[in-house]
Amino acid sequence: MIISIITLFPEVFTYLDFSIIQRARNKGIAEINLVNPRDFTGDKHRTVDDMPYGGGRGMVLKPEPIYKAINHVKQDERGESFVILTSPQGILFDQSIARELSLKKHLVFLCGHYEGFDERISNAADMEISIGDYVLTGGELPTQVIIDAVVRLIPGVIEQESAEKDSFSNSLLDYPHYTRPQEFEGTKVPDVLLSGHHAKIEEWRKKEAIKRTLVRRPDLLEKAHLTEEEKKILEEVLIEEMRIMEDG
Ligand SMILES: C[S@@+](CC[C@H](N)C(=O)[O-])C[C@H]1O[C@@H](n2cnc3c(N)ncnc32)[C@H](O)[C@@H]1O
C-alpha cells in the first residue's frame, strides 16, 4: 500500500517511524510519503491559509495548494487513489472502516489545521473521517491513528490470527491476557490458563470475551453475528450476571 499524507507539519509524523508500522515500511508492505501543501504555493510567503469570507475567527486552508498536492500524489496511481479528509464532522472511525481501508492500493490523507479546510476541498475527498467527538488542533494525530489501525490489518504486518482475535474483529471485545508472574499483588492467573488444556482454554477465552462485551459494551452485541455456540455462551453469561446482580 502507498500512503500519501498532505500536511503542513510533516515533522510530527514520527510515530510512524517505530515498531510495527516501521517494520511494515521496511518490508515494503507500506510506503509512506509526506507532502507539504506549501510546496504547491506560488507566492514568496508560501501562503496556504486565508481569512474566512463573512468574517469571524481563525484562518481557513485555501483550496488551490491542497488540490495541487492531491493531483501530484495521485498522478502515478492510475485512478486507484482513495482520498480521506480528516474532520471532526466525518464518519466515526471504527474497525470495519479500518478493514475496508486496508484493502486500498493508495490512501491519501488530508490533514486540516487552524479553523479547517475551505469547504470546496471536501469535493476532492472520497471519505471524511472523524476519530471521535472532540476537536483536535490538526489532522496529524487522527491520520496517524487511522494509519496505525489500517496498516496492522494488511496481511504480513502482524500475525493474521492475532488481528482476527482483536477487539471488534467479530463485534466482541478481546478476552483478558496474562503473562508471568503467576501471582501479582494478590491476583492470580486463572487456573485454566495454566492447565495446558487447549479446548478448555479456548472455551474460557470465548466466554470471557462475551462476558466483557456484555458488561462493557452491550451495544456491540446488538449488531454481532454470533455463532450458535456463542449464543449459548451469551445465555449462560446473562444468567450468571443476573445472579450476581440479584446477590448484590
Ligand atoms: C481545529 S480543527 C477544525 C474544527 C472545525 N472548525 C469544526 O469545528 O468542525 C482543525 C483540523 O483538525 C482535524 N481534526 C480535529 N479534530 C478531529 C477529529 N476528531 N477527527 C478527525 N480530524 C480532526 C481536522 O483535519 C480539522 O480540519
Side-chain angles (χ1 to χ4, degrees):
M1 174 187 286
I2 297 174
I3 300 172
S4 305
I5 305 168
I6 298 177
T7 171
L8 292 171
F9 300 95
E11 41 300 282
V12 306
F13 282 84
T14 49
Y15 180 79
L16 305 174
D17 295 338
F18 295 94
S19 184
I20 291 171
I21 306 302
Q22 175 64 343
R23 281 214 304 275
R25 296 172 76 176
N26 289 343
K27 283 191 202 169
I29 296 174
E31 176 190 321
I32 300 180
N33 305 309
L34 293 154
V35 177
N36 193 330
R38 285 196 197 280
D39 295 336
F40 298 88
T41 51
D43 63 317
K44 77 170 187 231
H45 298 295
R46 311 208 313 149
T47 309
V48 288
D49 57 352
D50 209 334
M51 287 180 293
Y53 275 123
R57 65 206 153 84
M59 296 295 275
V60 177
L61 289 172
K62 289 161 66 62
E64 307 95 314
I66 307 270
Y67 263 75
K68 283 185 185 158
I70 295 171
N71 288 337
H72 171 78
V73 300
K74 268 182 161 183
Q75 69 196 359
D76 295 329
E77 302 308 327
R78 296 191 293 277
E80 298 196 86
S81 308
F82 191 82
V83 180
I84 296 161
L85 183 139
T86 55
S87 163
Q89 302 176 23
I91 181 173
L92 216 48
F93 187 58
D94 65 9
Q95 192 72 4
S96 67
I97 299 177
R99 221 172 290 129
E100 182 187 331
L101 297 180
S102 73
L103 305 173
K104 304 283 182 201
K105 290 226 158 49
H106 180 211
L107 294 181
V108 180
F109 286 89
L110 308 181
C111 305
H113 228 87
Y114 315 120
E115 207 46 51
F117 297 102
D118 178 292
E119 191 59 24
R120 291 162 292 185
I121 292 173
S122 64
N123 295 337
D126 296 297
M127 190 183 261
E128 293 192 24
I129 298 183
S130 164
I131 61 159
D133 289 345
Y134 40 79
V135 176
L136 298 163
T137 321
E140 286 74 19
L141 284 173
T143 293
Q144 290 183 86
V145 167
I146 298 166
I147 290 174
D148 189 286
V150 168
V151 169
R152 67 193 292 287
L153 294 178
I154 303 174
V157 176
I158 61 169
E159 278 177 43
Q160 213 52 21
E161 197 198 350
S162 167
E164 279 161 17
K165 289 200 167 152
D166 276 336
S167 295
F168 311 113
S169 295
N170 58 352
S171 296
L172 294 175
L173 298 181
D174 197 3
Y175 53 77
H177 300 270
Y178 293 89
T179 184
R180 275 186 276 264
Q182 277 190 28
E183 183 170 344
F184 179 68
E185 297 199 340
T187 306
K188 287 185 179 159
V189 174
D191 287 340
V192 63
L193 297 180
L194 309 173
S195 67
H197 195 303
H198 295 300
K200 285 217 166 106
I201 292 173
E202 201 48 38
E203 197 181 309
W204 180 86
R205 286 178 167 166
K206 259 189 199 147
K207 189 166 177 180
E208 288 301 309
I210 290 174
K211 197 190 287 181
R212 281 208 153 187
T213 313
L214 178 71
V215 172
R216 298 182 184 198
R217 292 290 306 275
D219 58 301
L220 293 176
L221 285 172
E222 281 164 29
K223 44 189 175 176
H225 298 290
L226 298 181
T227 61
E228 287 309 310
E229 187 200 356
E230 287 168 337
K231 281 182 195 161
K232 262 176 75 185
I233 300 174
L234 176 60
E235 272 170 34
E236 265 173 52
V237 170
L238 271 167
I239 293 167
E240 282 173 20
E241 289 300 311
M242 270 159 60
R243 282 211 189 106
I244 294 170
M245 274 166 64
E246 278 165 16
D247 295 346

